[in-house]
Amino acid sequence: MEDSGRFDEKSFSNGDVYIGMIKGILPHDKGKYTWSDGTVYEGDWEGEKMTGKGLVVWSTGAHYEGEICGGYLHGYGTLTTSAGCIYRGGWKMNAQHGIGLQKYSNSDVYEGLWKEGVPEGSGRYTWNNGNMYVGNWKNGRIDGRGVMKWVKGDTFHGFWSNGVMHGSGVYSFGEGGLYIGTWNKGLKDGKGVFYPAGSKQPSLRMISHSPHHSDDNGFLLNIQKHEAPKARVKRSLSENISVISRFKSFRQISQRTSSLKINLVRDDSAQDCVCHDSSLALSNDLDEDQSEASSVKSTLVYEREYVQGVLIMERISECSESSRKKKQQNKFSVKQVKKSSCLDNFQGQRSYYLKLNLQLGIRYTVGKITPVPAREVRSSDFGDRARIRMYFPRAGSKLTPPHSSINFYWKDYCPMVFRNLREMFKLDAAEYMMSICGDSGLRDLSSPGKSGSIFYLSKDDRFVIKTVNKSELQVLLSMLPKYYRHVGDHENTLITKFFGLHRITLRGGKKVRFVVMGNVFCTELQIHRRYDLKGSSHGRYTDNDKINCNTTLKDLDLKYEFHMDKKLRESLLKQISLDCKFLESQHIIDYSLLLGLHFRAPENMKAFVEHHESMQHQENLPSGDEEHLILPKGLLLVSHEPSIVNTAPGPHIRGNTLRAYSMGDTEVDLLLPGTARLRVQLGVNMPAQATRKIVEDKVEEAKEVELFEVYDVVLYMGIIDILQSYNLKKKIEHSYKSLQFDPITVSVVEPKMYAQRFLKFLEEKVFPQTP
């Protein structure tokens, strides 16, 4: 007959006591263990470990009742602290995990998903004052899409990061006003529209179904990737009270007449997990919108632009039913005459298949070429036979994995050349694959031009993938040997960085060609303006009703000229001149300078000063304390410190650190107080002052007021669209007159003259010499 154990009592030399069933020398079935400090476990045992259901009571008064496995809180259970905080839900290895509800000692309540002891996923947090957040959490922080409702009636629907509003959103005021715009680290940053109380306002349903309501079109979902200040839920009770750790062997313990060891940390009510409602203060800076326009007629709306919470531009326009219908008609007519492109052929599900095929092909190519020993490129590496071809059937083959896309043929051009280019640009093969082929996938971008190309952006914003036509592919292949030499000789080149050239052939013979490029605007700073500059005037403007925060503006839209350090300007124009000479030698025209601006807020510390003074008045601080408040400038050049600046891998890692004349011709970093310290490179993190140009023009019906004339800006730039061949366009020159193109934007201008005009425009109109 099998031994079912015996009931016994065992005392240890340190005062611990076990009373219960013992099988052999190990606890079995039911038992009660009391530690010398008064902590008690009573419940199920399996061998030497607590496993099953049980109750743990600590000497501090905290107790847990629920499932335990292998000595860990694991399964479903309820933990109550001595301070009165209660968690009821799932556990995994001593940490809250799964669905759970936690009532904090201050009466705050969180109900939702947990992961490894902190809220993660969907959840609802209700503060004791009645404020409530419903939405996504990440690592204990409010992060992702969610809705915050304040007791006073205000509501924010939008995106969050690290506990603050960050990205696009809609802020509804309890008094009836509505602001639609973007936030950056808790501050309004970028363009938005304010609807006063009583005005005709779009519904949230209309906004969410708007054609501009996407990650990449319009400002409504302009999600920028920035590091925000950490405002998060503190680590949960399972970390602050590390309740139970794995038991040592009961056999060894009993033989040494010592006690069972459990790694218990005293219950401390001060460690209570409470989500501090830092978001409450975020609504204060929005009250100005409501109060400013409360007395204005309801037919007016305010198109505004903010920089780090500071209003820099306001445009007042009518919001009538007739004007709204007119805008809708205009939008409809634009769609009717929209140029057809290959994009029309790959909407919806087909676009998904195209992205998946692209990822499968790049993963295969990079994986195949990376193990090949490194060597210098040869002339044959540029030839017609330098190709990798592969068929990807859906069911898979001996060389390809099965996949959920459609069957396709893959072709990779000059794999050894682009492998060496990626290494030249200091890109790790594994990181390159993860960026493009990772689980997060690729994002669709709207085409910024008239080419009709499809654009994809990697999830980490490091790479842009663009479709090219057959002639553009041939131009790139023909110039590739000279391009390889040029970028090798000039590590500061502003010419587009190419990382791969591929072709997908679909069923029916449809061919789609892609080029992988570096993203000029891969930065932790928000890009407030984008310009595509050619040095032309004909047709180089953008209609106001087509402009949103992601619109790439043109030459005539540029209202500023940029003044920078003497040495920085010389380095910039010298490299642009070298790049133009290279493009001229390859008979390339129609290229542009893609220019991005990050504005720093004028008087950006004003709000902090006012807050400091008000706090000083409230707390009756002595006036002498005020002198300790140091007001930083918007931009500061400091000596370069390699160990301090961010050197994370990316498209901008290659290139020298620039020298500044104002710093004694030494290498410099750009210090943005309270934001970041950045390495100054050619076309990357370049500081300048943007001076608004004085333009005499007719006053528009809708009044626009720009509140400042001079801004501190950070510049990002690169030379793009370098695949337009003069020789090829010369063949269709007879069509230019009928199309009425401006000579500088078409191929009637020879490459040499195009380069001269382009460079002159930049020297005189964009980056003029500082007086």
Side-chain angles (χ1 to χ4, degrees), residues 580 584 588-589 591 749-758:
C580 286
E584 177 189 334
I588 301 298
I589 58 169
Y591 45 86
V749 176
E750 295 183 353
K752 183 175 182 180
M753 182 169 290
Y754 187 92
Q756 290 173 346
R757 291 185 180 182
F758 179 74

Side-chain angles (χ1 to χ4, degrees), residues 209-263:
H209 288 84
S210 167
H212 295 294
H213 194 263
S214 66
D215 288 355
D216 308 298
N217 298 318
F219 60 82
L220 292 181
L221 288 183
N222 177 27
I223 307 173
Q224 299 286 344
K225 294 191 175 180
H226 300 292
E227 290 296 323
K230 292 183 179 180
R232 53 167 292 173
V233 176
K234 295 178 182 178
R235 295 292 293 181
S236 67
L237 292 168
S238 61
E239 181 178 74
N240 294 325
I241 307 175
S242 181
V243 191
I244 302 175
S245 65
R246 187 178 299 275
F247 277 97
K248 294 183 180 179
S249 169
F250 187 86
R251 184 191 305 273
Q252 295 174 354
I253 293 170
S254 62
Q255 289 176 348
R256 293 197 305 268
T257 66
S258 60
S259 65
L260 292 177
K261 302 291 184 180
I262 301 182
N263 183 23

Side-chain angles (χ1 to χ4, degrees), residues 182-184 187-191 222 224 226 305-310 312 521 523 525-531 547-551 553 560 595-601 712-714 716:
T182 57
W183 281 257
N184 187 6
L187 298 174
K188 287 178 287 186
D189 200 4
K191 294 186 178 181
N222 177 27
Q224 299 286 344
H226 300 292
E305 183 169 9
Y306 291 85
V307 174
Q308 292 101 52
V310 175
I312 65 169
F521 300 145
T523 170
L525 303 181
Q526 180 167 347
I527 301 298
H528 296 104
R529 291 282 197 287
R530 297 166 174 82
Y531 293 93
I547 295 177
N548 57 56
C549 73
N550 283 334
T551 301
L553 304 172
Y560 311 97
L595 178 66
L597 314 182
H598 169 78
F599 288 96
R600 300 304 294 174
D712 285 334
V713 295
V714 184
Y716 297 84

Side-chain angles (χ1 to χ4, degrees), residues 257-278:
T257 66
S258 60
S259 65
L260 292 177
K261 302 291 184 180
I262 301 182
N263 183 23
L264 297 176
V265 178
R266 304 297 181 190
D267 173 38
D268 188 353
S269 60
Q271 302 272 340
D272 221 1
C273 172
V274 179
C275 182
H276 301 290
D277 192 5
S278 60

Side-chain angles (χ1 to χ4, degrees), residues 297-580:
K297 294 181 180 180
S298 61
T299 57
L300 298 180
V301 298
Y302 298 81
E303 298 177 12
R304 291 176 169 174
E305 183 169 9
Y306 291 85
V307 174
Q308 292 101 52
V310 175
L311 179 66
I312 65 169
M313 189 276 289
E314 183 176 80
R315 179 187 180 94
I316 304 174
S317 60
E318 292 284 341
C319 181
S320 61
E321 188 68 19
S322 60
S323 63
R324 185 177 64 85
K325 288 182 178 180
K326 185 177 180 180
K327 286 185 178 181
Q328 288 180 344
Q329 291 173 357
N330 290 339
K331 289 182 179 179
F332 179 77
S333 63
V334 169
K335 290 181 180 179
Q336 291 295 93
V337 299
K338 182 179 178 182
K339 181 180 178 180
S340 62
S341 68
C342 60
L343 180 61
D344 302 327
N345 300 321
F346 295 100
Q347 293 293 345
Q349 195 173 23
R350 290 188 178 182
S351 179
Y352 166 76
Y353 287 146
L354 204 56
K355 287 186 285 188
L356 188 56
N357 294 350
L358 185 62
Q359 292 175 311
L360 287 166
I362 290 178
R363 187 182 293 116
Y364 173 81
T365 297
V366 176
K368 185 177 181 65
I369 197 67
T370 299
V372 177
R375 61 171 175 80
E376 291 294 327
V377 295
R378 306 163 184 158
S379 58
S380 59
D381 294 323
F382 297 95
D384 294 338
R385 300 185 64 181
R387 309 285 189 266
I388 293 179
R389 298 174 176 85
M390 183 54 61
Y391 175 58
F392 284 80
R394 185 169 185 173
S397 66
K398 293 182 179 179
L399 300 176
T400 62
H403 56 84
S404 58
S405 183
I406 56 179
N407 300 342
F408 69 97
Y409 289 90
W410 173 260
K411 187 175 184 179
D412 186 74
Y413 296 88
C414 305
M416 182 57 73
V417 175
F418 285 106
R419 172 247 177 93
N420 283 17
L421 281 173
R422 290 192 292 269
E423 292 180 353
M424 188 186 299
F425 293 130
K426 301 183 180 180
L427 289 178
D428 179 74
E431 291 178 352
Y432 178 71
M433 278 199 297
M434 286 302 299
S435 178
I436 296 177
C437 309
D439 295 335
S440 297
L442 301 170
R443 288 184 285 156
D444 294 86
L445 288 177
S446 59
S447 174
K450 298 179 181 179
S451 64
S453 296
I454 301 173
F455 285 82
Y456 297 134
L457 183 65
S458 64
K459 203 66 176 180
D460 57 8
D461 292 343
R462 290 168 63 178
F463 305 103
V464 174
I465 302 175
K466 173 189 175 184
T467 57
V468 294
N469 57 41
K470 185 176 181 179
S471 63
E472 290 174 322
L473 180 140
Q474 292 172 342
V475 169
L476 179 54
L477 289 176
S478 65
M479 69 183 289
L480 193 56
K482 298 290 181 63
Y483 171 87
Y484 185 89
R485 187 178 307 162
H486 179 79
V487 298
D489 293 341
H490 304 282
E491 64 176 351
N492 292 322
T493 181
L494 294 177
I495 289 178
T496 303
K497 296 177 175 66
F498 294 116
F499 302 122
L501 184 61
H502 318 288
R503 189 185 77 184
I504 292 173
T505 303
L506 303 173
R507 185 174 54 190
K510 175 67 178 179
K511 295 181 174 65
V512 187
R513 303 164 183 87
F514 294 92
V515 63
V516 184
M517 307 174 290
N519 180 14
V520 176
F521 300 145
C522 180
T523 170
E524 60 187 279
L525 303 181
Q526 180 167 347
I527 301 298
H528 296 104
R529 291 282 197 287
R530 297 166 174 82
Y531 293 93
D532 181 285
L533 305 175
K534 292 182 181 290
S536 174
S537 58
H538 182 78
R540 300 293 297 168
Y541 66 92
T542 309
D543 294 335
N544 286 327
D545 59 351
K546 297 180 181 178
I547 295 177
N548 57 56
C549 73
N550 283 334
T551 301
T552 302
L553 304 172
K554 300 175 183 178
D555 302 61
L556 295 180
D557 303 317
L558 184 62
K559 302 177 182 178
Y560 311 97
E561 55 185 28
F562 306 98
H563 300 276
M564 60 178 65
D565 179 274
K566 177 182 177 181
K567 190 74 175 180
L568 297 182
R569 179 179 181 272
E570 288 178 357
S571 301
L572 175 63
L573 294 177
K574 180 180 178 181
Q575 186 59 55
I576 292 177
S577 178
L578 291 171
D579 290 339
C580 286

